[in-house]
Amino acid sequence: MLRRWRRSSRVKKGCRICRTCSLRCRVERWADCLDKTQEKSFKMNDTVQTNALILKELEKSRKLPQIDKQHHLVFEKGENDFDTSRYFYFIISGKIKVSEINLENGHEQTLYLLSSGDMFEVTTLLDRKPHDYMIDVLERSEVIAVPIESVRELLHEDPSFQSFFFPYVAEQLRAMENLAVDLSLYSVYQRIIRLFARFVDNTGSKPNLKLLENFSHEELASMVGSVRKVVNRALQKLKQEGVIDLSRKQLKLTNLQKLLDKLDF
């Protein structure tokens, strides 16, 4: 979901890992793959988590668009005052879940997990049609709300914004493609592994699953298209295998390499 990956340009053509799995190719080695092709230490490069804030990044490049009527908003957990028909949102901090729910059986499918560096809602911006998303603020979140017509003008007139916006749209398309593949081709256990691999945060001293660490099993189930009971079995198996540690409302990544070793080839 909404993830940017960068394949290491230093990996030589004969590297088995980079030839056999497109997802695994999105993981950078800790060590030099040119000289140590047998090493299995990797570095996750997730630029939704590691990139600077959108507006700050544009400002640093001196391409900050001049937009009138910007609104700096703070949403507390549980609040939902988004108006995607009138405003386009730049996420500054926090965590916001976008999902669909079947009202007949209560099943929920998470589509996006938004955090700093994300934009919302791209589809309405482009096609001018409303969407019946469920938007849940999972923790205190700061956003910049911009009139959607102002953003549409930028999209048509400002090349610097275009060069930033369209790669982001490509990421969203790829995220939906990955979700469809996961739901169609992989078991729940494998979906959990692939989910964790996409959400590894390597910005600190130790890799972690920062955005997912306080998720309940039910919330994880909504991200992989399953139910809590099945996800719990998958998590317990990963715990027994030494990949993660589970405590009350806490999920900790204990061994990144074991997680990566479980990615399907």
Side-chain angles (χ1 to χ4, degrees):
M1 28 187 329
L2 302 171
R3 295 286 172 244
R4 293 180 186 166
W5 304 84
R6 175 168 58 86
R7 185 182 303 183
S8 173
S9 60
R10 304 178 65 192
V11 177
K12 68 180 182 179
K13 185 176 180 181
C15 176
R16 178 180 63 87
I17 293 164
C18 290
R19 292 178 61 191
T20 52
C21 178
S22 58
L23 178 58
R24 200 176 184 110
C25 284
R26 297 165 183 168
V27 181
E28 275 194 349
R29 283 178 175 261
W30 290 96
D32 187 352
C33 191
L34 284 169
D35 301 321
K36 302 179 180 180
T37 58
Q38 298 304 314
E39 292 188 9
K40 290 186 177 181
S41 291
F42 294 85
K43 176 182 179 182
M44 301 298 293
N45 182 32
D46 183 333
T47 55
V48 164
Q49 294 171 0
T50 63
N51 70 336
L53 303 179
I54 288 176
L55 299 181
K56 183 177 180 181
E57 190 69 20
L58 289 171
E59 184 178 23
K60 285 166 60 178
S61 63
R62 298 183 180 180
K63 296 177 181 178
L64 180 64
Q66 298 298 315
I67 306 176
D68 296 329
K69 301 179 182 179
Q70 294 186 27
H71 303 283
H72 180 272
L73 306 175
V74 176
F75 294 106
E76 300 297 336
K77 181 178 179 180
E79 291 183 349
N80 184 355
D81 292 323
F82 291 92
D83 184 355
T84 56
S85 65
R86 297 176 56 201
Y87 292 97
F88 189 75
Y89 298 91
F90 298 87
I91 313 302
I92 303 303
S93 65
K95 185 162 54 178
I96 300 170
K97 181 177 70 172
V98 181
S99 61
E100 295 272 8
I101 190 168
N102 185 323
L103 297 178
E104 294 184 0
N105 57 28
H107 289 172
E108 181 182 9
Q109 177 62 57
T110 298
L111 301 177
Y112 306 110
L113 184 59
L114 307 177
S115 60
S116 62
D118 282 317
M119 297 181 271
F120 184 74
E121 200 270 317
V122 170
T123 308
T124 296
L125 174 71
L126 295 176
D127 69 7
R128 299 175 181 268
K129 297 178 182 179
H131 284 81
D132 294 328
Y133 290 134
M134 286 185 59
I135 306 174
D136 295 321
V137 178
L138 302 180
E139 64 184 36
R140 189 175 189 271
S141 301
E142 296 181 64
V143 306
I144 298 294
V146 180
I148 197 166
E149 289 302 328
S150 297
V151 180
R152 287 183 178 128
E153 290 177 11
L154 268 179
L155 194 55
H156 284 92
E157 300 173 2
D158 191 327
S160 64
F161 185 74
Q162 295 168 4
S163 65
F164 192 86
F165 177 81
F166 288 117
Y168 183 82
V169 173
E171 289 177 10
Q172 288 199 317
L173 293 173
R174 190 177 298 278
M176 288 297 98
E177 177 184 297
N178 288 335
L179 179 61
V181 169
D182 285 357
L183 295 178
S184 302
L185 303 179
Y186 291 94
S187 68
V188 172
Y189 174 74
Q190 292 168 321
R191 292 178 216 166
I192 289 288
I193 291 170
R194 290 166 64 84
L195 175 70
F196 288 173
R198 293 186 183 113
F199 276 87
V200 168
D201 182 356
N202 200 47
T203 59
S205 58
K206 188 177 181 180
N208 62 75
L209 297 170
K210 184 177 180 180
L211 283 179
L212 303 177
E213 282 184 346
N214 61 350
F215 267 33
S216 68
H217 293 185
E218 187 172 359
E219 287 172 321
L220 290 173
S222 74
M223 296 195 73
V224 296
S226 186
V227 294
R228 181 182 58 81
K229 188 174 182 179
V230 178
V231 166
N232 182 61
R233 286 199 298 265
L235 293 174
Q236 292 298 331
K237 183 177 180 181
L238 287 172
K239 179 180 179 180
Q240 294 171 3
E241 294 169 340
V243 177
I244 60 173
D245 184 38
L246 297 172
S247 58
R248 185 173 179 81
K249 294 185 178 181
Q250 283 292 313
L251 169 68
K252 299 291 184 182
L253 177 65
T254 57
N255 194 314
L256 174 62
Q257 187 54 53
K258 286 186 178 180
L259 174 68
L260 298 178
D261 287 340
K262 292 182 177 298
L263 290 174
D264 284 340
F265 285 80

